[in-house]
Each structure stands twice: as structure tokens, then as C-alpha cells.
Amino acid sequence: MRVIVTGSAGRLGRSVAAGLAASGHQVVGVDRTTADLAGVDERRVDLIDALATQRLFDEVRPDAVVHLAGIAVPFSAPERRILMTNTALVHTVLAAAVEAGVERVLAASSPTVLGYSAPTWHADRLPLDEATTPEPANAYALSKLVIEQTVQMFARTSPGAFGFFRPCYVISPEEWAGAPTQQGHTLEQRLADPALAAVSLFNYLDARDAADFVGAWLDAPAELIDGEGFFVGAADALAVHQVADLWREFAPSIGEAADALGHGRPVFAIDKAERLLGWRPERTWRTELEPAALERVLGASDRPSSAERPSASDRAASDHAASDRDDADRTRHADRLETRAR
């Protein structure tokens, strides 16, 4: 496919554009700057400009669009600017796609639409999934909910397939090696201090797994994806200890239902993406974190288990599956260490 990826110079966009190009798609990356991506035709375009956007689409004539452009971090700009920028971008891009006859359009939303940043928010059930009611609590989250509604409007009124996904806390390849994350902390710091990851309910996603999800979405039958939204995250939590042992102190809003999540399980469900698209994430912090940092994090881990954890019998099946997953993680990590040593 010929695919336009907007926001291709960003944390998520770089991996998505490069991943799609590596898998054989003809990728045109669009942003206000370039990132020197291998195999990607990068263009500088201000996508707020409707005429410039339409000219780009008329020239490229893409088969698909992956819309990632926007202000990507809550409170990184004035609230009104975040709302106006992100909502104007999605409508401009999707309208241009419809005008150009694009067959598939996928836009990035965010788990923050659920509203868990608000002090009054409480989970009514776990894991959180696509059926959880959105309750945005800031302009960034509200802009993402508007993005979802815009996608669904075009799905109802236009030919082609339109969808959205909610990528969890995105981690780019260089961040595993020690570069600062969106909030300025390293991943080693986020794992060593549960309070840093608790604000996002310990969710995360390797940007390369996001690229794999986008590829699976582009390959899926149109009737499975049109108007649909997906949570996309890692298969575990960004925490050394189980969420069941952490939530009371660090994330009380998610409540006692977290006790039943099981070993390593995330707060956000990704089952729908696997069921409809056959996508599963391949990377975890145990396989991707730099070896020295991983050793320090695990070596410093001595936090006692919660006295209120469910019994072993209640969680045996989940723990058995998690043990198998941990064995696979350790094998992959050992393979990576051997490769680096060569």
C-alpha cells in the first residue's frame, strides 16, 4: 500500500513509518520536520493548512492514512491550544482523505479518554477496555475523544474504512537504552519508583509493537475495522511487582478488582486487537531494557507482597500462564545479550 503517516517525526510516528516501510509499504511521512527515516519519503507540511493538506493528498494519492500528528503530551501547551490543534488536525486530514478517495484511515487516540487522571475517577471494573465509558478530564483527553468521534462520523458517512486506536504510554527504542521518556524520567527510574508509572496506571507500549498493530490493521478485512477502536498496549504492566501489590499505595482509584488481575497482567485489556486482528505485542520491559539497568531494577526489588492479595488457588491459572510468559521473556533476553556480546 501507499501510506501517508502524519506525525512521522514524533516518538510514535518514527517507529510506525519505519516499520511500515520495512514491511514493504510505500510510506510518505508528513510532519513539520523530518527524521531521516530509512525507506520513508518525508515531506514537510503544516497539516492545519487545509489547502496544503489537500494538495499533498492529491499528489500522493495514498491507499491509506495513519494519522498520528498532534500535540502528544497532556499539559505541554495551553489547554485551549491542545484542544484546537488536535481536533482541527484530525478533521483536516480525514476530510482530505475522503476527498482523495483514500480506502483506509486510522487515527491515534489515547487511553486518557477514560479520565483516570482526575482525582474523582474510579474504575467500575477491570481490566479497562473498549467498553469502559470515557470521562475525559483535561483538554488533551477531550481532544482524543473528539478524534474518536470524528473517525466514527466519517465511518458512518463516507466510503472506505475508518478506525482509531488507543496506544498506551509509548516507549521508543532509544528510551530502552536510557533516553528520557515523555515525562523526563528514564525507564529505569519509572520501574524503580512505582509512583512514576502509577499516574498512567502502569500502562506502556513499545513503539515497534504499535507499528505491527498498524500493519495488522491495514491488512484486516474492512468490515472488521470500520468504525472500530482498539486498545493497544504491552501484555504486562510497567512495574516490577504485580499491580495487585501496588494499587493500594500508588493507584487507589483502580480499586480491589486489581487483586484479580494476576501476575504481571496490565490494567488495560488488549484482547479485542488479538481477537479481530490477530495482533499481540512481542516486547516487554524485561526483554527490551538495557541489561545493566534491568539488573539494577530487579536487584533493588524487595517490596513485600500485599497482605490482601488473593489466594494462590484463586490465581493459579493466571500465574501459570504468566510463568510461561516470563520464561519466554528470559529466553529472549538471553538471546539479546548473546547478540550484543558478538
Side-chain angles (χ1 to χ4, degrees), residues 109-111 113-114 129-130 134 148 164-168 230-232:
S109 178
S110 166
V113 299
L114 300 188
D129 60 18
E130 293 83 0
E148 296 181 4
F164 65 87
F165 70 116
R166 296 168 175 169
C168 289
F230 297 87
F231 269 108
V232 180

Side-chain angles (χ1 to χ4, degrees), residues 72-141:
V73 180
F75 308 112
S76 60
E79 291 282 88
R80 185 177 186 278
R81 180 182 168 196
I82 292 175
L83 180 63
M84 299 298 289
T85 299
N86 288 353
T87 56
L89 278 169
V90 71
H91 190 273
T92 300
V93 170
L94 268 60
V98 170
E99 184 67 24
V102 177
E103 297 174 0
R104 293 180 179 230
V105 181
L106 176 66
S109 178
S110 166
T112 61
V113 299
L114 300 188
Y116 52 80
S117 63
T120 57
W121 182 87
H122 293 281
D124 57 358
R125 59 187 176 81
L126 290 179
L128 303 173
D129 60 18
E130 293 83 0
T132 303
T133 302
E135 299 177 14
N138 55 60
Y140 175 82

Side-chain angles (χ1 to χ4, degrees), residues 20-99:
L20 292 178
S23 64
H25 293 283
Q26 298 177 7
V27 180
V28 177
V30 184
D31 211 319
R32 292 185 298 178
T33 186
T34 56
D36 298 322
L37 301 173
V40 178
D41 177 8
E42 296 184 79
R43 312 282 186 93
R44 293 188 181 188
V45 178
D46 182 357
L47 294 167
I48 290 289
D49 185 334
L51 291 178
T53 302
Q54 195 63 64
R55 284 196 297 268
L56 170 73
F57 277 63
D58 291 341
E59 177 187 346
V60 175
R61 307 303 299 180
D63 302 304
V65 174
V66 180
H67 176 57
L68 310 176
I71 298 175
V73 180
F75 308 112
S76 60
E79 291 282 88
R80 185 177 186 278
R81 180 182 168 196
I82 292 175
L83 180 63
M84 299 298 289
T85 299
N86 288 353
T87 56
L89 278 169
V90 71
H91 190 273
T92 300
V93 170
L94 268 60
V98 170
E99 184 67 24

